[in-house]
Amino acid sequence: MSEILLDARGLSCPLPVLRANRMLRTLPPGARLRVIATDRASVADFQAFCRETGHALIAFGEEGGTLSFVIRRKPDTVSGSGTTALPA
């Protein structure tokens, strides 16, 4: 599966997570978003974001001060009636 890239280098907390959240909302369930960031606070921010939203943080790495996060968008929540529930 291909990945969508979000370059958040140079942005400070909480902007990398906010921009990732905005982009994830436009992607289909199961899609992957790779976020490139330089703010060290992004490590804890993305861990908490994924834990709270249900998206999966499937990879994390660092090379030369640049952080890379791969997030898989969560599946849509489906109610018993077969319709897709909208987030609150």
Side-chain angles (χ1 to χ4, degrees):
M1 176 176 267
S2 64
E3 296 175 344
I4 304 298
L5 179 65
L6 172 62
D7 187 347
R9 290 179 286 192
L11 299 178
S12 297
C13 173
L15 289 177
V17 168
L18 293 175
R19 293 206 177 162
N21 185 40
R22 185 182 314 157
M23 185 164 281
L24 282 164
R25 290 178 186 204
T26 69
L27 300 177
R32 293 181 181 203
L33 174 66
R34 179 177 297 270
V35 182
I36 307 299
T38 49
D39 183 10
R40 296 291 310 157
S42 294
V43 176
D45 289 348
F46 277 108
Q47 290 171 341
F49 169 74
C50 289
R51 188 172 47 249
E52 292 175 16
T53 62
H55 299 302
L57 181 60
I58 58 175
F60 161 73
E62 178 179 9
E63 185 175 326
T66 299
L67 306 164
S68 175
F69 305 90
V70 179
I71 302 166
R72 184 177 57 236
R73 188 183 188 284
K74 68 180 176 181
D76 284 336
T77 305
V78 178
S79 68
S81 65
T83 58
T84 302
L86 297 175

